[in-house]
Amino acid sequence: MNTCHQPTEAGLDSFRIAKITFARPDDWHVHVRDGSLLKALLPHTARQFGRAIIMPNLKPPVITTAQAESYRQRILDARPTQGPGTTFEPLMTLYLTDNTSSDEILRAHKSGFVYGVKLYPAGTTTNSDAGVTDIRHCTAALEAMQQTNLPLLVHGEVMDPLIDVFDREEVFIDRVLEPLRRDFPGLRVVFEHITTRSAIAYVRDADAAPGMLGATITAHHLLLNRNAMLVGGIQPHYYCLPVFKREAHRVALVEAAISGHPRFFLGTDSAPHPKNLKENQCGCAGCYTALNALELYAQVFEEAGALNRLEGFASFFGPDFYGLPRSTDTVTLERSSWTLPEDIEASGVNVVVFKISKALSWKLC
Ligand code: DOR
Ligand code: ZN
């Protein structure tokens, strides 16, 4: 990471960093949607990141390699034609169902453009109805994934009306994740968008060789706790899944992200929804962070006094996990005090940009 200093108001003797340049980050978990939203919003992700793991929870979901191939082409077609983002690379995933065959997994592996298979326990989140009702239905697919080294990307929550929504991640570890890793010891797993101390401890302390277990952490879970969503009126734009937890969990997430532990890496889970579907009697889950993701993460790392750890988390540990080269391109963030922009209009649809109440300190050049 290169830094460049400028004198502060405190005098010429004290310096603070004015610019940081580091390897271009990748987003290891993002929803870029389809159709007009994809066209309008993909440039945001493409401007910030070199590559991204693309979530398959479209309607209908991306369950075959052939579907992933045409979705990939639509994403490539939506890239900006000039300026930053023209070389953005989508890394595709398949949506695991009770019926995913081992042949489909082998096809995905052979394709060269599918980098993971996503487990949505049925009913846990947006467009997860076609997801897995019982992981025991997926044995053949999981064996094929183990054999071909294709990672399983996990939405780590149980769907059980008897389990409180704030506890669903912790219960998932005991009921699903631990038995799964025991039964498939060669299966590579990413525990996506972790939100609890239990998930952090599980990932950090697991007996796993490098490249076998990782976890993504979102900017919104690093920045806010559940009060943001529930105090002073209900705030639908802070409703996401897994739902925000109490402050102690947020603090632990920041510690994990800045720890320099290679199992924790960046995944925004940026998930745009039309404004009217968030501000609704039954509002959709998701925060739209793609527009300013790096600035949001930089804010967290700086406030924790760990800007020097941002590059590992954002740019190194993800590609290392996926066995991909680290980026040779760079990004530069410039010190500047600015407030997050107003909402955007994307092909006639309003999308609310994720905001926090204070000014940000870094801006992507
Ligand atoms: O908040 C979320 N939104 N969490 C998810 O797991 C899915 C995502 C979406 O697709 O809207
Ligand atoms: Zn997601």
Side-chain angles (χ1 to χ4, degrees), residues 29 31 55 118 120 193 269:
H29 180 133
H31 302 263
M55 287 297 122
K118 179 71 190 263
Y120 286 108
H193 43 54
D269 197 16

Side-chain angles (χ1 to χ4, degrees), residues 24 41-50 78-80 84-88:
R24 179 173 287 281
L41 302 181
L42 185 80
H44 299 160
T45 289
R47 190 175 152 260
Q48 297 243 334
F49 296 105
R79 292 186 303 188
T86 51
T87 58
F88 171 76

Side-chain angles (χ1 to χ4, degrees), residues 55-287:
M55 287 297 122
N57 62 334
L58 302 183
K59 244 181 173 172
V62 180
I63 59 176
T64 66
T65 309
Q67 287 171 323
E69 185 173 18
S70 60
Y71 186 30
R72 177 172 180 272
Q73 191 56 51
R74 297 197 294 282
I75 296 170
L76 293 175
D77 293 344
R79 292 186 303 188
T81 48
Q82 51 192 21
T86 51
T87 58
F88 171 76
E89 197 186 337
L91 310 174
M92 307 310 292
T93 61
L94 292 193
Y95 183 114
L96 188 66
T97 73
D98 287 348
N99 303 313
T100 304
S101 66
S102 53
D103 282 351
E104 195 56 61
I105 298 296
L106 297 180
R107 263 194 295 280
H109 167 66
K110 274 208 198 108
S111 76
F113 54 76
V114 176
Y115 289 83
V117 178
K118 179 71 190 263
L119 165 62
Y120 286 108
T124 47
T125 189
T126 311
N127 297 343
S128 63
D129 308 356
V132 172
T133 61
D134 187 328
I135 193 73
R136 285 172 296 195
H137 295 144
C138 303
T139 301
L142 293 167
E143 274 169 359
M145 289 167 63
Q146 189 167 239
Q147 196 189 320
T148 55
N149 266 332
L150 207 52
L152 181 71
L153 317 181
V154 169
H155 183 104
E157 293 190 288
V158 289
M159 178 57 217
D160 179 342
L162 296 178
I163 304 296
D164 189 279
V165 70
F166 290 101
D167 299 332
R168 288 181 177 188
E169 184 174 280
E170 290 172 314
V171 172
F172 179 87
I173 297 170
D174 297 332
R175 276 198 198 165
V176 184
L177 188 55
E178 179 53 20
L180 177 73
R181 292 190 53 252
R182 203 178 45 229
D183 293 346
F184 298 90
L187 183 67
R188 303 171 60 213
V189 174
V190 184
F191 196 168
E192 300 285 352
H193 43 54
I194 57 171
T195 60
T196 57
R197 284 180 295 195
S198 306
I200 294 163
Y202 182 81
V203 171
R204 190 191 53 216
D205 302 337
D207 180 13
M212 295 305 293
L213 180 64
T216 54
I217 305 181
T218 77
H220 47 284
H221 289 105
L222 289 170
L223 284 160
L224 298 178
N225 64 39
R226 62 192 188 179
N227 284 1
M229 180 182 60
L230 295 171
V231 174
I234 191 148
Q235 307 290 331
H237 299 290
Y238 291 143
Y239 173 59
C240 61
L241 286 167
V243 72
F244 287 133
K245 305 297 190 301
R246 58 171 69 241
E247 176 65 4
H249 293 287
R250 189 196 68 79
V251 170
L253 281 176
V254 173
E255 278 167 15
I258 67 168
S259 66
H261 196 305
R263 286 185 190 160
F264 300 109
F265 45 86
L266 185 159
T268 62
D269 197 16
S270 175
H273 289 277
K275 184 177 181 175
N276 63 312
L277 297 184
K278 298 251 338 144
E279 297 174 5
N280 195 277
Q281 207 171 26
C282 179
C284 299
C287 295

Side-chain angles (χ1 to χ4, degrees), residues 6 9 17 27 83 104 192 208 235 243 289 302 305 340 346:
Q6 74 184 13
E9 315 73 52
I17 298 166
D27 185 349
E104 195 56 61
E192 300 285 352
Q235 307 290 331
V243 72
T289 53
E302 174 160 81
L340 286 154

